[in-house]
């Protein structure tokens, strides 16, 4: 037996002792431990058909799909005290297309935005499965807005939501309600720590987890779905794969650093220790979404530099936005909207803590921002003229939206935070985890933001959730089918 564990460990993770690995390998019978995120004495053992790790869009989709494919003993692990991960705090913009032309259009947008680094098969799988995600959520009770909108960071209007400013919460709510009606056991405050592989390292035999009581448990299973989200919150992984990023950079999930952000890359580390290939790990997406922005759609707010002028189209792709803000001397911008545009769920909170302020006139807003009033007035007047004629005079491109003219105005300072991990575990279109030699690790599946290759260098706005819903569903189905096939084979022999 050969311990994989520890070989690829990142500097920031607790060391896995060689001796302990052998001890566990021996204790675990025929299998070998593929690397645990901590080391300690013999765990208690139990069995499951499928273990799903994570309760965001990917994990919940996987769990529901697994159950609907007939898997009986399904265990869902969540290290946080509640379900939802980044999904529950997301704006809920979900890119989805039904028609063949729409599917081709969405696939092409993903490939173009990914700057040639997205895997065409994965991109197409996302687009083809996107409407299925909408239908599954509809079946669980989500109702949708009637016309798609253009999410920030999206080239065109393909996104849907539930019509509420907290659509991400709505999705998690209905999926958790559905999961509670099944036999799946959802365990909160339980952290997956490592995978157990077969002696040849080719297939999954189990998963180690730490329970809420602090005990270690080995769940023996033939199928694990890693749906642990991204690694934006892992300083160790950021240092390792994107050392140019300032270490103090906050995440959009926890702007201010006060909230629990579980995007530690746990699944990525576990998969890597099991011999999985990682792709596009340098592709971390930054977004101005840590301060004054209140909307997640294009056409309701104006972005300004410190001179009170627009410096980038609010509808630009995430990469262009990143470049434009980085080139500002302050690396920050002002955002202004008015009373008419429908706002996200954070308005009340941001007004309360002063992140966003209210002004009755543009004059008052200019004073609050410290930008020249004449420049602001001229910028907003030109913006409003552009909106009315559907042509953006500042950037020479088509434009849709609402004029910013109805008091009160809302304004705030906005800066970058880390938003999304484009890179992660390499998968096949069937969500099987790939090794560098192109073989899959049998029984190991991954879905959602923990994976890489779907988006390439950058992501289309609205496609993060679609990715998680689509590949979560695929992973869950594949996991259940594997277990069924193995059971049938065992019965036949
Ligand atoms: C503020 C914000 C707004 C966003 N808005 C949008 C949007 O409108 N549209 C869009 O497409 N995308 C959006 N995104 C991105 C999108 O929300 C995510 O890409 C998507 O929700 C990821 O889903 P997931 O299931 O892969 O991961 P998550 O939803 O993050 O879930 C992962 C779960 O795994 C758990 N976990 C991690 N490690 C372990 C472990 N070792 N053991 C047990 N559990 C573990 C975590 O606690 C978490 O609950 C937004 C992101 C943020 C932060």
């Amino acid at each position: 037996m050969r311990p994989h564990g520890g070989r690829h460990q990142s500097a920031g993770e607790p060391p896995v002792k060689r001796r302990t690995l052998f001890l566990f390998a021996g204790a675990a019978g025929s299998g070998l431990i593929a690397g645990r995120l901590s080391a300690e004495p013999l765990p208690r053992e139990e069995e499951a058909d499928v273990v799903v790790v994570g309760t965001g869009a990917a994990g919940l989709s996987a769990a529901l799909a697994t159950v609907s494919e007939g898997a009986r003993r399904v265990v869902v692990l969540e290290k946080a005290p509640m379900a939802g991960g980044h999904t529950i705090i997301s704006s809920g913009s979900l890119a989805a297309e039904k028609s063949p032309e729409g599917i081709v259009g969405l696939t092409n947008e993903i490939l173009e935005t990914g700057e040639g680094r997205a895997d065409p098969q994965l991109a197409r799988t996302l687009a083809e499965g996107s409407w299925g995600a909408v239908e599954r959520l509809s079946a669980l009770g989500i109702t949708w807005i009637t016309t798609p909108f253009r999410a920030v960071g999206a080239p065109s209007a393909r996104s849907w939501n539930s019509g509420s400013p907290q659509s991400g919460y709505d999705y998690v709510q209905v999926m958790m309600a559905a999961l509670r009606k099944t036999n799946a056991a959802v365990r909160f405050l339980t952290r997956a720590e490592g995978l157990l592989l077969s002696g040849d390292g080719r297939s999954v035999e189990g998963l180690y987890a730490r329970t809420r009581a602090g005990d270690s448990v080995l769940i023996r299973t033939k199928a694990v779905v890693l749906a642990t989200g991204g690694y934006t919150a892992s300083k160790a992984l950021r240092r390792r794969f994107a050392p140019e990023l300032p270490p103090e950079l906050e995440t959009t999930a926890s702007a201010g650093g006060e909230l629990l952000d579980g995007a530690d890359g746990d699944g990525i580390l576990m998969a890597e220790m099991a011999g999985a290939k990682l792709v596009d790990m340098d592709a971390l997406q930054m977004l101005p979404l840590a301060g004054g922005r209140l909307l997640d759609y294009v056409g309701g707010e104006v972005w300004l530099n410190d001179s009170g002028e627009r410096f980038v189209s609010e509808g630009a792709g995430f990469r262009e936005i990143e470049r434009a803000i980085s080139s500002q001397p302050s690396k920050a911008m002002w955002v202004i909207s008015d009373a008419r545009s429908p706002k996200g769920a954070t308005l009340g909170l941001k007004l309360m803590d002063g992140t966003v302020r209210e002004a009755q006139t543009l004059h008052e807003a200019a004073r609050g921002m410290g930008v020249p009033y004449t420049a602001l007035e001229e910028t907003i007047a030109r913006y409003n003229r552009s909106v009315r004629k559907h042509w953006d005079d500042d950037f020479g491109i088509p434009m849709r939206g609402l004029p910013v003219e109805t008091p009160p105005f809302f304004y705030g300072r906005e800066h970058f935070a880390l938003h999304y991990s484009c890179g992660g575990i390499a998968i096949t279109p069937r969500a099987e985890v790939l090794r560098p030699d192109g073989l899959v690790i049998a029984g190991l599946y991954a879905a959602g933001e923990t994976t890489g290759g779907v988006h390439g260098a950058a992501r289309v706005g609205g496609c993060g959730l679609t990715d998680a819903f689509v590949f979560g569903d695929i992973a869950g189905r594949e996991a259940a089918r594997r277990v069924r096939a193995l059971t049938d084979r065992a019965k036949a022999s």
Side-chain angles (χ1 to χ4, degrees), residues 41-56:
L42 296 182
R44 149 174 83 77
E45 289 196 17
E46 55 182 80
E47 282 187 17
D49 288 341
V50 179
V51 179
V52 176
V53 189
T55 60

Side-chain angles (χ1 to χ4, degrees), residues 37 53-60 77-80 82-95 151 159 190-193 227-230 251-254 260-267 270 287 289 296 418-420 447-450 459-466 468:
L37 302 184
V53 189
T55 60
L60 292 176
L77 305 181
E78 171 54 61
K79 70 180 175 185
M82 57 177 269
H86 281 190
T87 306
I88 202 166
I89 55 166
S90 75
S91 324
S93 311
L94 176 65
S159 276
T190 304
R191 181 183 184 224
E193 292 194 325
T228 45
T251 63
T252 56
S254 176
L260 185 74
D261 187 348
D264 293 322
D266 284 359
M270 285 188 275
L287 194 65
L289 187 59
D296 192 40
L418 271 176
H419 185 61
Y420 186 84
E449 205 175 322
T450 197
R459 170 180 72 94
V460 171
C463 280
L465 285 171
T466 316

Side-chain angles (χ1 to χ4, degrees), residues 89-312:
I89 55 166
S90 75
S91 324
S93 311
L94 176 65
E97 284 288 359
K98 191 177 185 180
S99 70
E101 312 80 63
I103 289 168
V104 170
L106 180 56
T107 307
N108 289 340
E109 281 179 3
I110 295 170
L111 295 176
E112 275 159 35
T113 304
E115 299 175 3
R117 285 167 67 182
D119 177 325
Q121 272 188 301
L122 295 178
R124 201 169 47 246
T125 304
L126 179 153
E128 283 171 355
S130 62
W131 200 255
V134 168
E135 287 176 339
R136 283 191 297 281
L137 285 166
S138 302
L140 297 179
I142 294 289
T143 53
W144 302 94
I145 50 167
T146 48
T147 319
F149 65 95
R150 187 172 171 198
V152 169
S156 53
R158 303 185 195 272
S159 276
W160 305 82
N161 66 27
S162 67
S164 110
Q166 45 186 20
S167 296
Y169 173 86
D170 296 343
Y171 306 153
V172 171
Q173 189 80 347
V174 295
M175 293 176 95
M176 272 305 289
L179 196 60
R180 280 203 194 96
K181 292 186 189 139
T182 72
N183 286 334
V186 186
R187 298 186 193 159
F188 292 104
L189 292 168
T190 304
R191 181 183 184 224
E193 292 194 325
L195 293 158
L196 180 76
L197 297 188
S198 59
D200 60 6
R202 291 282 178 85
S203 58
V204 163
E205 296 280 331
L207 178 129
Y208 289 90
R210 183 163 307 275
T211 70
R212 64 169 71 203
D215 307 329
S216 185
V217 59
L218 167 60
I219 309 174
R220 289 195 174 271
T221 179
K222 298 287 185 204
V224 171
V225 178
L226 296 172
T228 45
Y231 55 98
T232 42
S234 166
K235 292 204 169 154
L237 285 175
R238 279 155 50 170
R239 207 168 39 241
R240 183 172 154 206
F241 291 104
E244 71 288 354
L245 289 178
E248 67 281 1
L249 208 59
E250 297 164 347
T251 63
T252 56
S254 176
E258 289 138 7
L259 302 174
L260 185 74
D261 187 348
D264 293 322
D266 284 359
I268 292 171
L269 284 168
M270 285 188 275
E272 186 186 34
M273 289 171 185
K277 178 181 170 185
L278 304 184
V279 286
D280 296 331
M281 288 293 289
D282 59 317
L284 279 159
Q285 203 158 54
M286 293 202 288
L287 194 65
L289 187 59
R293 276 191 51 218
L294 296 169
L295 325 174
D296 192 40
Y297 55 88
V298 180
E301 62 188 14
V302 186
W303 299 357
L304 306 163
N305 62 17
D306 290 347
S307 307
E309 293 154 353
R310 289 172 77 212
F311 63 99
V312 65

